[in-house]
Amino acid sequence: MLHLGESIQEFLLREGMSRRDFMKFCTIMAGALALPKNAVSDIARALESPQRLPIVWLELQDCAGCSEAFLRSTSPTAAELVLDVLSVDYHETIMAASGFQAEKSKDDAIAAGGYILVVEGSISLADDGGYCTIAGKSSKAILEDAAANAVAIIAVGNCATFGGIPAANPNPTQAAGVWDIIKNKPIINLPGCPVNPVNLTATVVHYLTFNQLPDMDSFNRPLFGFGRRIHDNCERRGHFDAGEFVKEWGDEGHRAGWCLYQMGCKGPITFHNCPSVRYNEGTSWPIAAGHPCIGCSEPGFWNWEVYKPISLNTFTPPTTFPTVETPDREISPAGIAISGTAVGAIVGAAGAFAYTALTNRSNIQPEVATEEPEEPAEH
Ligand code: SF4
């Protein structure tokens, strides 16, 4: 644990982390926060000053997957920074105390104030909150008590942000997100199923460095993590552009890593930094593992049909792209060349040739359409 008057950096050095590793961590955090290079020194300075940010972590109606994702962190940075260095004063899942002792820890932390409240899980509103109670109190009452003295609230995972799986139709417990209940505190939403620990750590580091929450979108999601569509950064995007789609699980395209749009991928309508930060210390993410994105950082994703292709109404593909309105239509290089504009055809053909050459996929031939494809519809 952090000694009195000790800085986070001093703690990390004491635990065996080198100055070089510390600066690397600061650089990673600046990158995750999409901050310019000179912010690295601001972050380092903030973590070098003796300060402690108490955290109270509530776990309400959920599966504990967000806590699990966080604890799976193998690097000492994420787990130690938040759990040991920043001090989680109350987290009923991982704290040693239980029962009355645990409740007293929470009450003491709340009475002291000045903490960040992290909420995992949805809030059950039906039948006076009777579907989720702890120590005889409803999840709504627990949240309202803990929010009263918090300086800010971080809702982690889709359950705490938008209701999550518990809110799926017909939502029998009337599951709601934190921002549906609390209206008088700064709230930042970090959706995902589970939350990405990098985004949580980066949010806390941003607060420590600038004493405020990062810029957010209309869903209170930080722009650094949710400012761009998955589709825009996806490693399979080249295949989307070339009209190369997985048609069946285990087909040649699936084995070759082609686009999962026709298998129901929600990447084109999902805002998240999954493709860049990935999960499990950057090991992998769903699309890299061959599964379509299910849109878990969006409100209402739990009611979407996972394997049904989506219609995109706000995006008109150029004529050299395959249409996304009729996902079962086959687009061939020949068809593209016939239907595209002269410039578009040249660019498309050159791109497809270059991609084929780079990926050495010449043994996987796209199906050739016998008819000229229609022009994409206007949206
Ligand atoms: S549709 Fe999905 S798999 Fe295909 S490029 Fe977009 S995000 Fe990636």
Side-chain angles (χ1 to χ4, degrees):
M1 291 295 291
L2 207 62
H3 293 160
L4 199 62
E6 189 178 35
S7 73
I8 292 171
Q9 187 211 10
E10 286 165 346
F11 169 82
L12 294 173
L13 291 174
R14 180 160 58 79
E15 289 295 307
M17 180 181 278
S18 67
R19 170 80 186 167
R20 190 188 184 87
D21 286 340
F22 172 72
M23 291 310 297
K24 192 173 157 193
F25 170 71
C26 296
T27 305
I28 291 170
M29 285 295 104
L33 288 163
L35 294 171
K37 245 183 176 178
N38 56 10
V40 175
S41 53
D42 292 337
I43 292 172
R45 213 172 301 121
L47 300 184
E48 280 164 358
S49 70
Q51 60 176 322
R52 179 176 173 277
L53 182 65
I55 289 178
V56 172
W57 186 309
L58 295 182
E59 196 173 335
L60 305 173
Q61 194 169 235
D62 73 320
C63 70
C66 292
S67 289
E68 284 287 332
F70 203 73
L71 294 170
R72 292 284 74 77
S73 171
T74 54
S75 145
T77 51
E80 299 217 2
L81 189 69
V82 176
L83 295 182
D84 288 342
V85 181
L86 298 180
S87 177
V88 176
D89 284 4
Y90 176 83
H91 187 313
E92 60 203 2
T93 309
I94 60 172
M95 67 194 299
S98 61
F100 291 114
Q101 213 182 1
E103 287 303 301
K104 185 173 181 315
S105 294
K106 183 178 68 175
D107 293 343
D108 290 348
I110 290 172
Y115 52 87
I116 292 258
L117 177 63
V118 176
V119 183
E120 176 183 3
S122 63
I123 297 91
S124 160
L125 300 178
D127 296 333
D128 293 327
Y131 296 105
C132 179
T133 62
I134 301 170
K137 282 173 75 174
S138 72
S139 51
K140 181 169 178 278
I142 293 168
L143 172 65
E144 287 170 339
D145 284 352
N149 289 343
V151 292
I153 303 175
I154 306 177
V156 298
N158 201 297
C159 296
T161 53
F162 307 128
I165 298 289
N169 280 334
N171 191 2
T173 67
Q174 286 181 28
V178 171
W179 71 339
D180 296 317
I181 314 290
I182 304 298
K183 304 291 184 187
N184 60 350
K185 292 282 173 180
I187 297 174
I188 191 164
N189 285 331
L190 301 181
C193 195
V195 65
N196 194 307
V198 172
N199 290 337
L200 175 55
T201 309
T203 300
V204 172
V205 167
H206 188 282
Y207 192 87
L208 276 170
T209 306
F210 303 108
N211 205 27
Q212 63 182 33
L213 294 174
D215 292 340
M216 298 182 261
D217 68 8
S218 58
F219 289 123
N220 280 25
R221 301 178 296 194
L223 292 177
F224 75 79
F226 301 86
R228 301 183 71 179
R229 287 184 190 85
I230 282 183
H231 189 62
D232 297 338
N233 290 319
C234 179
E235 62 213 40
R236 298 184 187 227
R237 177 61 187 263
H239 294 293
F240 177 93
D241 293 351
E244 297 171 337
F245 297 106
V246 176
K247 302 266 177 54
E248 280 178 31
W249 301 118
D251 68 10
E252 278 188 280
H254 196 211
R255 290 199 291 278
W258 285 7
C259 173
L260 293 157
Y261 171 75
Q262 293 186 7
M263 305 306 284
C265 185
K266 307 298 184 293
I269 55 169
T270 301
F271 289 77
H272 205 181
N273 56 359
C274 268
S276 51
V277 297
R278 301 180 161 218
Y279 278 85
N280 293 330
E281 302 291 292
T283 307
S284 190
W285 65 298
I287 286 177
H291 195 279
C293 165
I294 61 173
C296 71
S297 58
E298 297 298 319
F301 90 93
W302 50 89
N303 290 328
W304 296 347
E305 291 181 65
V306 172
Y307 300 114
K308 185 177 176 187
I310 47 171
S311 290
L312 301 179
N313 298 318
T314 56
F315 171 64
T316 304
T319 50
T320 47
F321 282 15
T323 176
V324 290
E325 291 290 330
T326 52
D328 55 352
R329 188 170 67 179
E330 295 164 356
I331 300 292
S332 70
I336 290 169
I338 293 166
S339 65
T341 61
V343 173
I346 292 166
V347 171
F353 173 78
Y355 202 87
T356 303
L358 286 171
T359 55
N360 192 26
R361 59 166 183 77
S362 54
N363 57 332
I364 303 170
Q365 296 298 327
E367 295 168 78
V368 177
T370 53
E371 293 177 2
E372 181 179 333
E374 299 164 13
E375 286 293 316
E378 290 296 326
H379 306 295

